[in-house]
C-alpha cells in the first residue's frame, strides 16, 4: 500500500503570505520612506485575513464595512508591534490582536448605555449559559437559579448580567408603538409635568386674601388679570385715573403676596422662601409722601413766603366729561365707585 510521504502540513490560513523575510528586514530598517513602503506592503498582504476575522462578528448591530475598518486598524497595530526575533509566526500574534481590537470596539462604542467592564463580562457568561441550557432541548425558559448554576455565578450576578443584555441597545423614542398603525411613537406615550398644577396651588393660596379685598379692588384685579384689560381702559370704565389704577393693583398684589407667605410660614413654622425679599421690599417707601414722612422735614435756608388769599390756588373742579360708573355694571360696588357729589345728592 502506497502512502503519501510528501504531504506537507497545511497552513492554518490558506491565503497566508510568506512574509518572514520581510518582517526581519522591517525590524532592521530605520524610520524613513523605505520602511514605510515595506510596512504598507505587509499590511496589504495580510489584509484578507483581517477581513475574514471581521466577518465573524457580522449581524451584531454593526455594519460589516465598519468592522473591516476596525480589523484593519488592529492589523496595523500587529504589524508595528510584531517582533520576529521571538520566533513565533506573525499570524499567531496578529489574530488575537485583531480580534481584541474588534471586541474593544463593541465594548466601547456599541453600548447604548455604558456599563462597567465587570458587568459586561457577566453579560457574556449569562448569555453563554442561556445558550447552553437552550441546547439541552428543554422548552421552558431558564430561571435565574438555573442560569446561576450553569454559569457558576450568584443570583445577583445573573440579574446584573440580564440587565446588561437589555442595555446593549435601546429603542428610539421616535419608533412607532408595536402593533400600532396610527403613527403614534413611544414619546407620545410618555407623560410630563403639568405646569397648571403650580397655578392651582397659587390660586388656592390667594383665595382667602381675595375674599377680604374690597369689591372695587376685586373688580380691578378681575378686569386686569382675567379680562386682560389695560390700565387705561380700566380707569376709563371706573372713572378714575390710570395712576390710581396702577397704585391699587400694586397694593393689592403686595397684600395678597404678604398674606400667602405669612400663612405658609405659620403652617411650616419657618420663614417661607422669598419672605426676606418681600419683607425688604415692604420696608421701602411706596410713595413720595411716605418717604418724606420717614426722612422728616428738610431744612430750609429761608422762610417760605405766605400766600395771600388771592394768590392761593383754587381747588380743581370735577371735569364734566368724567364718566360716571354704571351701577348695573359693578353691582354692589356702585356705592363705592360713584362720585361723592352724586352720593350726597342722592
Amino acid at each position: 500500500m502506497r502512502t503519501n510521504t510528501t504531504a506537507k502540513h497545511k497552513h492554518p490560513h490558506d491565503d497566508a503570505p510568506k512574509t518572514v523575510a520581510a518582517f526581519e528586514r522591517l525590524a532592521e530598517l530605520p524610520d524613513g520612506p523605505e520602511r514605510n513602503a515595506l510596512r504598507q506592503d505587509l499590511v496589504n498582504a495580510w489584509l484578507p485575513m483581517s477581513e475574514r476575522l471581521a466577518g465573524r462578528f457580522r449581524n451584531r448591530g454593526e455594519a460589516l464595512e465598519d468592522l473591516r475598518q476596525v480589523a484593519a486598524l488592529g492589523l496595523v497595530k500587529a504589524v508595528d508591534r510584531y517582533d520576529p526575533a521571538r520566533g513565533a509566526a506573525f499570524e499567531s500574534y496578529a489574530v488575537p490582536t485583531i480580534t481584541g481590537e474588534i471586541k474593544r470596539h463593541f465594548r466601547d462604542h456599541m453600548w447604548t448605555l455604558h456599563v462597567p467592564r465587570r458587568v459586561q463580562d457577566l453579560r457574556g457568561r449569562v448569555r453563554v449559559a442561556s445558550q447552553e441550557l437552550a441546547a439541552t432541548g428543554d422548552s421552558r425558559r431558564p430561571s435565574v437559579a438555573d442560569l446561576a448554576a450553569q454559569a457558576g455565578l450568584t443570583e445577583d450576578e445573573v440579574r446584573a448580567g440580564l440587565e446588561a443584555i437589555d442595555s446593549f441597545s435601546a429603542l428610539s423614542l421616535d419608533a412607532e408603538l408595536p402593533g400600532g398603525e396610527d403613527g403614534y411613537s413611544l414619546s407620545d406615550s410618555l407623560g410630563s409635568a403639568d405646569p397648571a398644577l403650580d397655578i392651582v396651588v397659587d390660586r388656592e393660596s390667594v383665595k382667602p386674601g381675595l375674599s377680604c379685598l374690597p369689591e372695587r379692588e376685586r373688580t380691578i384685579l378681575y378686569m386686569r388679570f382675567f379680562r386682560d384689560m389695560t390700565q387705561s381702559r380700566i380707569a376709563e370704565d371706573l372713572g378714575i385715573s390710570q395712576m390710581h389704577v396702577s397704585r391699587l393693583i400694586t397694593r393689592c398684589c403686595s397684600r395678597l403676596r404678604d398674606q400667602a407667605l405669612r400663612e405658609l410660614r405659620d403652617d411650616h413654622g419657618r420663614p417661607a422662601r422669598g419672605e426676606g425679599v418681600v419683607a425688604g421690599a415692604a420696608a421701602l417707601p411706596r410713595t413720595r409722601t411716605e418717604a418724606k414722612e420717614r426722612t422728616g422735614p428738610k431744612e430750609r435756608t429761608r422762610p417760605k413766603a405766605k400766600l395771600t388769599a388771592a394768590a392761593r390756588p383754587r381747588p380743581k373742579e370735577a371735569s364734566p366729561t368724567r364718566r360716571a360708573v354704571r351701577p348695573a355694571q359693578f353691582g354692589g360696588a356702585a356705592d363705592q365707585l360713584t362720585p361723592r357729589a352724586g352720593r350726597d345728592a342722592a
Side-chain angles (χ1 to χ4, degrees):
M1 181 176 180
R2 290 182 65 182
T3 59
N4 188 6
T5 59
T6 60
K8 298 181 179 179
H9 178 69
K10 186 177 181 181
H11 200 278
H13 299 281
D14 295 338
D15 55 351
K18 297 179 180 180
T19 56
V20 178
F23 274 110
E24 293 177 352
R25 182 186 175 193
L26 181 68
E28 297 175 355
L29 289 176
D31 293 338
E34 184 179 358
R35 188 179 190 280
N36 294 337
L38 181 59
R39 173 175 173 268
Q40 184 64 39
D41 293 340
L42 289 173
V43 171
N44 293 334
W46 288 97
L47 194 60
M49 182 192 67
S50 66
E51 294 179 352
R52 184 168 55 253
L53 293 176
R56 298 178 181 178
F57 296 88
R58 63 165 60 95
N59 300 327
R60 295 191 182 183
E62 184 66 300
L64 182 59
E65 292 297 328
D66 294 338
L67 292 177
R68 289 177 177 176
Q69 292 290 334
V70 176
L73 177 61
L75 175 61
V76 171
K77 292 181 179 181
V79 170
D80 292 339
R81 300 172 183 174
Y82 174 66
D83 186 6
R86 295 180 179 271
F90 172 73
E91 55 268 22
S92 62
Y93 174 77
V95 171
T97 302
I98 297 173
T99 305
E101 189 69 24
I102 297 175
K103 291 181 178 180
R104 189 180 302 109
H105 173 75
F106 276 96
R107 184 188 67 207
D108 297 339
H109 302 285
M110 293 300 297
W111 286 79
T112 303
L113 180 63
H114 182 72
V115 297
R117 176 67 180 274
R118 171 182 168 275
V119 180
Q120 294 184 18
D121 295 339
L122 293 177
R123 169 184 175 271
R125 296 178 62 179
V126 170
R127 184 177 60 181
V128 172
S130 179
Q131 294 174 354
E132 293 176 352
L133 292 176
T136 58
D138 192 356
S139 59
R140 69 181 183 87
R141 184 176 181 181
S143 62
V144 176
D146 297 337
L147 293 175
Q150 182 69 23
L153 302 173
T154 63
E155 294 187 2
D156 292 338
E157 291 175 341
V158 170
R159 293 188 184 95
L162 292 175
E163 292 179 357
I165 292 177
D166 297 333
S167 302
F168 185 77
S169 61
L171 184 63
S172 174
L173 293 178
D174 297 330
E176 294 186 2
L177 296 177
E181 300 179 355
D182 47 5
Y184 285 98
S185 61
L186 182 61
S187 59
D188 297 331
S189 62
L190 301 178
S192 59
D194 190 356
L197 296 177
D198 296 334
I199 300 178
V200 172
V201 175
D202 296 339
R203 288 184 177 181
E204 293 297 326
S205 300
V206 299
K207 270 187 177 181
L210 287 173
S211 60
C212 299
L213 291 177
E215 189 171 356
R216 183 179 65 169
E217 278 74 357
R218 291 201 305 268
T219 303
I220 292 176
L221 294 179
Y222 171 77
M223 298 169 71
R224 179 69 184 92
F225 296 105
F226 289 88
R227 297 183 59 184
D228 199 19
M229 296 175 61
T230 62
Q231 296 182 4
S232 302
R233 177 68 183 279
I234 297 173
E236 183 180 357
D237 289 351
L238 299 183
I240 57 179
S241 64
Q242 184 268 337
M243 183 63 67
H244 194 189
V245 173
S246 177
R247 292 173 181 173
L248 290 176
I249 293 176
T250 303
R251 184 174 62 186
C252 293
C253 292
S254 300
R255 182 189 301 179
L256 294 175
R257 182 171 59 253
D258 295 343
Q259 182 176 355
L261 292 176
R262 192 182 308 111
E263 292 178 355
L264 183 61
R265 179 195 59 190
D266 296 339
D267 294 340
H268 296 277
R270 60 179 183 271
R273 184 178 63 179
E275 185 176 359
V277 179
V278 175
L284 297 176
R286 300 181 183 274
T287 61
R288 295 182 180 179
T289 305
E290 185 177 354
K292 291 180 180 179
E293 293 177 355
R294 296 186 183 183
T295 56
K298 296 182 179 180
E299 297 182 358
R300 299 175 180 176
T301 56
R302 57 183 181 180
K304 186 176 181 181
K306 293 184 179 181
L307 298 177
T308 60
R312 292 177 182 173
R314 295 181 179 180
K316 295 182 180 180
E317 297 180 356
S319 175
T321 60
R322 189 173 182 179
R323 296 183 57 179
V325 181
R326 298 187 296 273
Q329 183 179 359
F330 299 100
D335 295 338
Q336 298 179 2
L337 301 179
T338 305
R340 182 181 298 274
R343 293 201 302 268
D344 297 340

